[in-house]
Amino acid sequence: GQFAKAYSSWRIIAGVKDSQTVFNPGFAKVAAPPPFNWSFVTNGAIVEPLPANRLHVLYFGRNDTVLAEQLLLLADGRYELSMDISGSIGRGGEIAWTLTCVPRAEAIFRLPVDRKGRLAGIFSVPPGCSAQRLQLSAVIGEFPQSQEFTVSNLSLTNRSGG
């Protein structure tokens, strides 16, 4: 794909500086459009940015859905994704952050959101995976129930040496 060209055009249109990893990790309401900024689900859940760099998620537990997503252009190497989770993480389904190579949809990382507190995971972007889709997804459980939680202090850090 022409991801680098699209990103360059997007930066000009959106009037933003280059983002090294995640654009807008605080989920602020800014004019920059998806796919290189966050897009949020419009059915099956309510997902909305809150003040103080937080994202509020109310998942109704009735269907599988992508709650939030952003297209990234990470260089190959090692990275750490981390965030704080507060609220009620129930057992009514599975919520997780995933990172996949685009366009071939090859999953390279999965971090379940299964408890409150600090969550973190380390992953590697392989050579040839020039674009990635970061998603917060929910999968309906055997006994569906709603889940309400807040994501804060989201960070995606390059951990490659040198």
Side-chain angles (χ1 to χ4, degrees), residues 55-87:
L55 184 69
H56 176 254
V57 177
L58 173 55
Y59 169 56
F60 301 131
R62 295 187 201 121
N63 57 345
D64 298 352
T65 189
V66 174
L67 301 165
E69 70 178 337
Q70 183 178 138
L71 194 63
L72 308 177
L73 299 179
L74 302 174
D76 57 327
R78 286 172 46 89
Y79 295 84
E80 180 179 26
L81 178 69
S82 60
M83 81 273 330
D84 291 321
I85 302 292
S86 58

Side-chain angles (χ1 to χ4, degrees), residues 28-157:
K29 293 179 182 178
V30 295
F36 300 105
N37 190 10
W38 295 107
S39 63
F40 303 115
V41 70
T42 56
N43 60 19
I46 297 172
V47 181
E48 57 187 358
L50 295 177
N53 299 323
R54 297 174 300 149
L55 184 69
H56 176 254
V57 177
L58 173 55
Y59 169 56
F60 301 131
R62 295 187 201 121
N63 57 345
D64 298 352
T65 189
V66 174
L67 301 165
E69 70 178 337
Q70 183 178 138
L71 194 63
L72 308 177
L73 299 179
L74 302 174
D76 57 327
R78 286 172 46 89
Y79 295 84
E80 180 179 26
L81 178 69
S82 60
M83 81 273 330
D84 291 321
I85 302 292
S86 58
S88 62
I89 302 296
R91 299 279 179 241
E94 184 176 64
I95 296 173
W97 288 96
T98 58
L99 190 78
T100 55
C101 286
V102 177
R104 58 185 190 265
E106 172 192 332
I108 56 176
F109 176 67
R110 191 170 172 288
L111 180 64
V113 178
D114 53 6
R115 60 183 169 81
K116 292 191 280 189
R118 189 78 177 158
L119 297 180
I122 293 180
F123 63 92
S124 292
V125 173
C129 177
S130 59
Q132 310 83 29
R133 187 175 315 285
L134 178 63
Q135 294 182 320
L136 177 61
S137 300
V139 176
I140 191 170
E142 185 177 353
F143 302 103
Q145 69 183 48
S146 62
Q147 300 186 59
E148 187 170 12
F149 62 96
T150 301
V151 178
S152 59
N153 299 315
L154 180 76
S155 173
L156 180 56
T157 308

